[in-house]
Amino acid sequence: MKKNEWLITKTNEYIQSRLFLKYKFNHAFYTRLNKSSKPNKLIKKISNCCSIHQLNQVHSKKVIKTTELNEFNLTQADGIISSNIKDQSLWIYTADCIPILIADTKTGDVAASHAGWKGVCNKIIKQTIEELELSGSERKNLIVALGPSISLSKYTVKDDVLHLLLRSINEKNINLSIKSDLFKLKEGDILVDLKKFAYKQLIKEGITGENITVSNYCTFLDEELFYSWRRDKMKLFQWSCIISGNLNK
């Protein structure tokens, strides 16, 4: 969880994971400096020959393949995986939730998921991994990047949400008064680290720690770089994308 695991362009337009670059997966977590740019414009910053695939996100655990998208790219879901085809760019948007990118270092298949607390509680991570397996992936070959999202110090939730999050990692009877890296009680508020819940889910799904990279950027605190729903109270967001490869051919 170190910032040196990540690169940011000199113009601060997008962030990339060194782990994904090591395996030659083209990707980007775009910042607010791209203003209102959409995928058909943003893709030109990293590639010139990709098809574009995006979703109508609804805070669900539904994950679909690119072949299941309707012609207007408006299918309701929160996760998308490539279809054994090179140069498919998969897009999700966030503004405090976690953008999650997954890549198979053997087949070249990729996935992108959007996970707020509802997605984490509903185990969209598990669902995405299982859909990749149905397409021929093995968990030992998967690498995962958890992109910029809101951090513990700024993410307050209700008591029932905390208990749902704890249940999602099989921590049903945890003592809320004990010290935890997952949550903190402060002046009557409950603060949670959503990325750590997502990380623990990945570990439970058999993804090794060395194959997971977590961005320390906070969408709330890093105001010059990111929009934040909790901070701005406006529906503004930044895009994230990953491009499929053909490593097995």
Side-chain angles (χ1 to χ4, degrees), residues 190-204:
I190 299 172
L191 304 169
V192 301
D193 190 328
L194 196 60
K195 279 184 281 200
K196 285 187 178 176
F197 277 99
Y199 181 89
K200 286 185 178 289
Q201 284 190 5
L202 286 164
I203 295 297
K204 285 182 177 295

Side-chain angles (χ1 to χ4, degrees), residues 2 8 13-14 22 36 42 47 49-50 54 81 96 111-112 116 122-123 127 130 156 161 166 185 202 208 226 245:
K2 300 176 182 177
I8 187 166
E13 290 184 274
Y14 59 87
K22 173 185 174 182
S36 58
L42 291 173
S47 178
C49 57
C50 288
Q54 63 192 83
I81 66 174
D96 279 338
N122 288 325
K123 299 188 178 181
Q127 188 71 24
E130 289 177 350
T156 60
V161 172
L166 290 169
L185 306 181
L202 286 164
T208 62
F226 304 106

Side-chain angles (χ1 to χ4, degrees), residues 121-150:
C121 289
N122 288 325
K123 299 188 178 181
I124 191 170
I125 292 171
K126 176 183 176 68
Q127 188 71 24
T128 305
I129 291 171
E130 289 177 350
E131 290 295 332
L132 279 166
E133 283 186 310
L134 290 175
S135 292
S137 292
E138 295 183 53
R139 297 185 187 214
K140 66 181 181 180
N141 298 321
L142 299 180
I143 56 174
V144 184
L146 304 181
S149 66
I150 196 166

Side-chain angles (χ1 to χ4, degrees), residues 2 5 19-20 25 39 43 48 62-63 68 72-73 88 98 113-114 116-117 120 124 131 142 146 152-153 169 204 239:
K2 300 176 182 177
E5 293 179 4
L19 176 63
F20 276 59
F25 282 100
I43 191 64
N48 293 317
K62 186 177 180 180
V63 181
E68 299 176 82
F72 301 107
N73 276 335
Q88 290 187 325
I98 312 169
S113 297
H114 153 255
W117 70 261
V120 172
I124 191 170
E131 290 295 332
L142 299 180
L146 304 181
L152 178 145
S153 67
I169 56 170
K204 285 182 177 295
W239 289 94

